[in-house]
Amino acid sequence: MTIGLVGRKCGMTRVFTDAGVTVPVTVVEALPNRISQVKTDKSDGYRAVQVTIGSRRPSRVTKALAGHFAKANVAAGHTSREFRLNKGEGDALATGGELKVEMFKAGQIVQVTGTTLGKGFAGTMKRHNFAGGMKSHGNSLSHRAPGSIGQRQTPGRVFKGKRMSGHMGVRNRTIKTCASWKSMCPATCC
């Protein structure tokens, strides 16, 4: 994994290309990430950089975390994240430093990871885009029903992974995109 930046989604907007085409974009607020610890193979058994973002009152931080932040000489943050480092990566990073948006170049391909919106318990039409049953003729209370879910006596069960109703959303998703607002598009077209 490479060094990243922790941000917060602010909302959505749109930008216009030179051809006049509107492109929907997600606005991410990426404040400076303060480095609270640099982990090494020798001391921790693996290489990583730990960052904290946001601000938190000192009275709302546990004594253990307060000592951790004091040792790094950084202000207490409301969340901490860790990025694993490969060999030769992040050698210039030091505890107490900051990671900023300037580390990305315009047009650079980046991976954006986030948690999807929670939809709760969803039926098969919403969750898996099933077509549903007939709307008028020969149908009684089965307009949004999933239909058949298996075979007969053999195999006598429903296979695992069958697309059915259930919890939808609140999953980690990653998408590749450009780091420039002028070309916010999937990485395949850049």
Side-chain angles (χ1 to χ4, degrees):
M1 179 182 234
T2 57
I3 299 172
L5 201 61
V6 180
R8 184 180 66 87
K9 179 179 176 178
C10 293
M12 300 282 294
T13 187
R14 62 183 180 169
V15 293
F16 292 94
T17 62
D18 295 333
V21 178
T22 180
V23 179
V25 295
T26 302
V27 179
V28 177
E29 177 187 32
L31 297 172
N33 291 192
R34 299 179 302 279
I35 300 173
S36 57
Q37 186 179 9
V38 178
K39 298 188 176 186
T40 61
D41 286 322
K42 186 177 179 184
S43 61
D44 301 292
Y46 65 101
R47 299 187 71 234
V49 59
Q50 187 184 83
V51 298
T52 183
I53 59 166
S55 60
R56 192 179 229 186
R57 286 185 292 169
S59 63
R60 296 291 182 201
V61 179
T62 63
K63 288 187 179 181
L65 273 178
H68 180 70
F69 291 132
K71 181 180 177 184
N73 199 20
V74 296
H78 65 79
T79 186
S80 291
R81 294 287 186 264
E82 199 171 275
F83 296 104
R84 297 291 288 258
L85 300 174
N86 296 325
K87 283 202 176 234
E89 195 175 42
D91 293 334
L93 297 176
T95 304
E98 288 185 339
L99 299 176
K100 296 184 180 179
V101 178
E102 286 79 29
M103 66 188 220
F104 299 113
K105 295 184 245 58
Q108 180 181 352
I109 304 297
V110 295
Q111 287 185 338
V112 180
T113 301
T115 305
T116 61
L117 213 61
K119 307 284 186 179
F121 190 92
T124 52
M125 288 180 73
K126 182 181 178 89
R127 191 177 185 207
H128 300 294
N129 300 314
F130 281 14
M134 300 269 296
K135 301 296 183 271
S136 59
H137 292 68
N139 201 347
S140 177
L141 304 176
S142 299
H143 305 290
R144 298 180 67 87
S148 174
I149 61 167
Q151 294 79 28
R152 299 175 71 174
Q153 185 172 347
T154 303
R157 64 189 178 91
V158 178
F159 292 129
K160 281 188 176 182
K162 183 71 179 168
R163 295 184 299 167
M164 297 177 115
S165 303
H167 187 271
M168 183 178 177
V170 193
R171 306 188 78 153
N172 285 338
R173 290 289 176 255
T174 301
I175 186 172
K176 285 187 180 181
T177 186
C178 299
S180 169
W181 66 269
K182 287 197 177 216
S183 56
M184 282 295 194
C185 54
T188 55
C189 65
C190 293

